[in-house]
Amino acid sequence: MFREFRTEVEAALSAALASLDLPTDDLGVEEPPEDVSATLASSVAFRLASEVGAPPPKIAADVADAVSTAEYEYVGAVDTQGPYVNFHVSEQYDAATLDAAQDEEYGRLEPKETSVVVEHTSANPTGPVHVGRARNPILGDAIARCLDYAGYDVERHYYVNDAGRQVAVFTWAYETFDESDLPEPERNRPDYDLVRYYRKGNQWLDEAAAADVATAEAEIESIMQGLEAGDEETFERVGHVVDQVLAGMRQSLERLPAEFDAFVKETEFIRDDSADDVVGRLKESDHAVYEDDAWQLDLSEYGIEKHLVFLRSDGTTLYTTRDLAHHEWKFEHFDRAVTVLGEDHKLQAQQLKAALDVLGNDTSRLESTFYSWVNLPEGGMSTREGTGVDLDDLLDEAIARARDEVESRLDDRVRDDDLTDEDVDRIAHQVGIGAVRYDIVSKQPTKSITFEWERALDFEAQSAPYVQYVHARCCGILNDADVEREADASVLTEPEERALLRVVARFPARVEVAAEELEPHAIATYAREISETFNTFYRECPVLSAEDESVRAARVALVRAARHTVANALDTLGVEAPTSM
């Protein structure tokens, strides 16, 4: 209802300003400061002070007097507080909020006729997903979920680098070394199995005699040339390695979960000649220069000093060249293209966007969001010699630590009467994985993260378990509720009841903003806000023991509204909502 209320406020304020012959181009409607008691407020009086020649409080009073609320359903009282014009909600607003939030799908916005492709993760298929890159699939999946909740038609894509030097080295190493040359794999999975060949190959290239390295490099170059020439046998050789590794990586990502609608390979844009088409068009552009035996784009007109190389002297394309063809394919099939990238790819993203403009594309349809790295505190986890910490290691430890935390909170009676071993396993998985996702997605992407177990798994602090426990508590109350009476929002007169209802009302608007700004951390902040507000309500307002039947029925409905809101806020972040903890 908050979105509808805001629309009504803007309409009423605009009409009032027009009636006073004042400009309506900047209404200044926003959520007010904490010391202003209103649902929305306008700071328009500040803007008009110099034009009108009166102090802001006087202007605010005149504007408030001119506001008519008669034709609006959700706008109640209008008053002023200093320079602010304050708008309060009507009783119908609360009733409509309580009714709307009884729907399990509460928070999902109406469908839009806009398709969005979200490309994220896209880690090179050379081995298991490393914990340092864990932020990409978590952030990317959360962005896709926000857009989906906001009504967009969303597809999630993983762009597979199967045409670069790394996969050529991998293919050569896989075909060169024997199992006996390698250490035991760390896990029984194809990505852990095959990464041994990749590591062995790179080690050998660093240490072997120059003549032997030259022979190997010639073989690696022939693989790259075979890909560029569209040789089917080379495609098959590379694909045999890439597909196995990718299958293993997908198992790690599905644990988060981060699932994809399509895995789009670089080689697709070599096979269909679209990369060659891009090269031909770039050569004809005014920005093309041939320097240092390579074709390059001079992008200084776009404020980019470094030239973009799009064709090597040997006639092979580069990753960015093929990515240009990839993005033109996106523009052909989708209305918007969102890409999640590490902060080390900012220059590449700038060059890509400029080159797409050179090619004549509408680059306003392309949006990139960047993230910084995830670090572990020293001593935070054990690492295997020479391999660092893989995502699987992090998730395994998260579940194990969550299990310890859950079991420490269960006394024998609760464990014996209510929770089976399977229940504890389920809760440990939901809490452990949820703690990792929530802790990572709750931070602004551009800020680096040092992941700390104590904070992430703190049931009493602002963490996933804290929010998850609120959902479980709601489920417990509703399981015990036996209410047949229809809920009447007007009996919810306690400040804690009203506060919870008002926070519930804001959820769809939070989804809308998070989707438009590509900022899922805003939903994490909201999830903490509603959890804190619910806990205050739960502490001050008895639900099942309320003496008045109408109050009891309304409070049960309010708990149900909170449950749906918390569950969907968590779902927007990709965090499971346990029904018991």
Side-chain angles (χ1 to χ4, degrees):
M1 294 305 107
F2 184 80
R3 296 166 66 232
E4 291 83 353
F5 172 67
R6 184 185 185 101
T7 298
E8 290 188 357
V9 166
E10 290 172 345
L13 181 60
S14 181
L17 291 171
S19 71
L20 297 172
D21 293 325
L22 295 174
T24 62
D25 55 319
D26 184 6
L27 300 177
V29 175
E30 58 194 22
E31 293 187 40
E34 291 184 3
D35 60 341
V36 176
S37 59
T39 303
L40 281 174
S42 170
S43 58
V44 68
F46 285 111
R47 177 175 62 82
L48 296 173
S50 60
E51 183 172 342
V52 175
K58 173 63 168 60
I59 298 172
D62 291 341
V63 172
D65 287 341
V67 172
S68 172
T69 64
E71 62 184 283
Y72 301 107
E73 183 177 6
Y74 301 131
V75 179
V78 180
D79 57 27
T80 64
Q81 188 170 342
Y84 291 97
V85 182
N86 298 329
F87 293 85
H88 304 267
V89 297
S90 65
E91 289 188 5
Q92 292 92 327
Y93 177 89
D94 290 330
T97 297
L98 188 63
D99 181 63
Q102 300 307 298
D103 186 351
E104 290 186 356
E105 294 294 302
Y106 179 66
R108 285 195 175 274
L109 307 186
E110 58 279 358
K112 297 176 173 60
E113 295 183 359
T114 304
S115 60
V116 184
V117 57
V118 179
E119 178 199 330
H120 68 85
T121 306
S122 301
N124 290 333
T126 53
V129 182
H130 189 271
V131 69
R133 296 283 181 177
R135 200 168 191 175
N136 198 314
I138 291 173
L139 176 61
D141 186 69
I143 286 174
R145 286 170 177 268
C146 285
L147 289 165
D148 179 57
Y149 262 82
Y152 292 96
D153 180 11
V154 180
E155 281 198 20
R156 301 153 174 85
H157 286 192
Y158 187 121
Y159 186 48
V160 183
N161 180 354
D162 66 335
R165 173 178 165 81
Q166 286 180 310
V167 295
V169 170
F170 205 157
T171 303
W172 161 79
Y174 180 72
E175 296 173 349
T176 299
F177 298 102
D178 296 324
E179 173 73 24
S180 58
D181 299 324
L182 310 172
E184 287 295 312
E186 294 161 4
R187 292 175 188 256
N188 184 25
R189 228 175 54 195
D191 48 340
Y192 287 90
D193 180 19
L194 270 69
V195 73
R196 299 175 301 155
Y197 292 92
Y198 183 64
R199 291 171 181 158
K200 178 68 177 179
N202 279 293
Q203 180 186 8
W204 188 92
L205 289 171
D206 287 340
E207 299 174 355
D212 294 332
V213 170
T215 301
E217 287 290 356
E219 294 178 21
I220 293 167
E221 179 65 23
S222 72
I223 294 173
M224 295 177 64
Q225 290 287 354
L227 290 173
E228 196 73 30
D231 179 65
E232 286 298 328
E233 181 183 353
T234 306
F235 284 141
E236 290 179 10
R237 290 166 61 195
V238 171
H240 181 68
V241 174
V242 167
D243 290 346
Q244 289 186 78
V245 176
L246 201 58
M249 296 172 71
R250 290 174 67 174
Q251 291 183 50
S252 294
L253 295 169
E254 286 168 2
R255 296 181 67 188
L256 284 171
E259 298 178 351
F260 297 88
D261 298 297
F263 286 79
V264 181
K265 292 184 174 181
E266 269 190 275
T267 48
E268 293 180 26
F269 305 101
I270 296 175
R271 286 174 181 265
D272 67 5
D273 296 326
S274 57
D276 286 342
D277 177 68
V278 164
V279 168
R281 289 154 60 204
L282 289 178
K283 282 183 177 180
E284 294 175 358
S285 76
D286 294 336
H287 299 269
V289 294
Y290 189 80
E291 293 180 358
D292 301 323
D293 296 326
W295 279 98
Q296 306 178 35
L297 282 184
D298 180 349
L299 299 174
S300 55
E301 183 179 310
Y302 295 86
I304 302 172
E305 293 184 10
K306 186 174 181 179
H307 285 191
L308 171 65
V309 178
F310 63 88
L311 190 68
R312 298 186 184 94
S313 58
D314 61 5
T316 57
T317 56
L318 290 88
Y319 176 91
T320 304
T321 322
R322 299 183 288 271
D323 203 18
L324 287 168
H326 173 215
H327 275 76
E328 290 198 320
W329 174 83
K330 288 183 184 180
F331 292 155
E332 182 180 350
H333 292 88
F334 300 93
D335 299 315
R336 291 174 61 190
V338 174
T339 311
V340 181
L341 298 165
E343 60 184 2
D344 56 332
H345 286 78
K346 283 186 177 180
L347 174 60
Q348 174 191 324
Q350 291 169 353
Q351 291 177 319
L352 177 77
K353 193 166 188 175
L356 285 168
D357 186 71
V358 169
L359 289 167
N361 296 279
D362 176 9
T363 57
S364 67
R365 298 162 60 191
L366 176 62
E367 302 161 80
S368 298
T369 185
F370 300 93
Y371 65 90
S372 188
W373 312 122
V374 176
N375 303 304
L376 291 173
E378 189 172 345
M381 282 185 63
S382 60
T383 62
R384 297 183 180 91
E385 184 67 28
T387 65
V389 179
D390 296 317
L391 177 61
D392 287 305
D393 299 327
L394 178 69
L395 299 183
D396 286 348
E397 185 143 350
I399 294 170
R401 288 179 182 249
R403 187 191 310 279
D404 291 342
E405 186 67 29
V406 170
E407 289 184 332
S408 72
R409 292 170 171 269
L410 297 175
D411 59 35
D412 292 337
R413 180 188 58 79
V414 172
R415 177 63 179 273
D416 292 342
D417 293 347
D418 297 325
L419 292 178
T420 65
D421 288 339
E422 289 76 15
D423 289 328
V424 174
D425 288 342
R426 170 183 55 80
I427 294 169
H429 182 274
Q430 291 174 321
V431 171
I433 301 296
V436 171
R437 281 195 68 124
Y438 187 93
D439 194 69
I440 288 176
V441 81
S442 64
K443 311 299 190 301
Q444 290 188 8
T446 53
K447 294 183 177 179
S448 61
I449 295 175
T450 297
F451 185 84
E452 297 177 357
W453 294 108
E454 292 74 13
R455 180 191 63 224
L457 287 168
D458 190 342
F459 280 64
E460 309 301 331
Q462 296 179 342
S463 61
Y466 177 78
V467 179
Q468 289 173 314
Y469 193 76
V470 167
H471 182 266
R473 175 168 277 167
C474 290
C475 291
I477 293 171
L478 295 172
N479 287 340
D480 293 337
D482 184 16
V483 176
E484 298 181 0
R485 185 171 184 146
E486 187 174 341
D488 178 7
S490 68
V491 304
L492 298 173
T493 58
E494 296 296 326
E496 295 82 9
E497 296 168 327
R498 292 292 182 183
L500 180 55
L501 200 53
R502 304 291 164 77
V503 175
V504 167
R506 282 179 163 85
F507 179 49
R510 292 289 192 270
V511 169
E512 185 174 50
V513 172
E516 291 309 309
E517 301 296 327
L518 304 179
E519 293 183 344
H521 66 270
I523 300 296
T525 301
Y526 173 82
R528 291 196 297 266
E529 179 185 357
I530 190 172
S531 297
E532 292 167 351
T533 308
F534 178 87
N535 284 335
T536 301
F537 157 79
Y538 179 79
R539 184 173 61 248
E540 300 298 332
C541 302
V543 179
L544 301 180
S545 61
E547 295 182 2
D548 186 285
E549 288 186 14
S550 62
V551 172
R552 184 163 63 251
R555 287 179 179 174
V556 167
L558 182 54
V559 171
R560 186 178 297 108
R563 173 191 174 181
H564 294 158
T565 306
V566 171
N568 292 337
L570 288 172
D571 187 52
T572 307
L573 301 174
V575 175
E576 289 193 66
T579 56
S580 61
M581 286 177 67

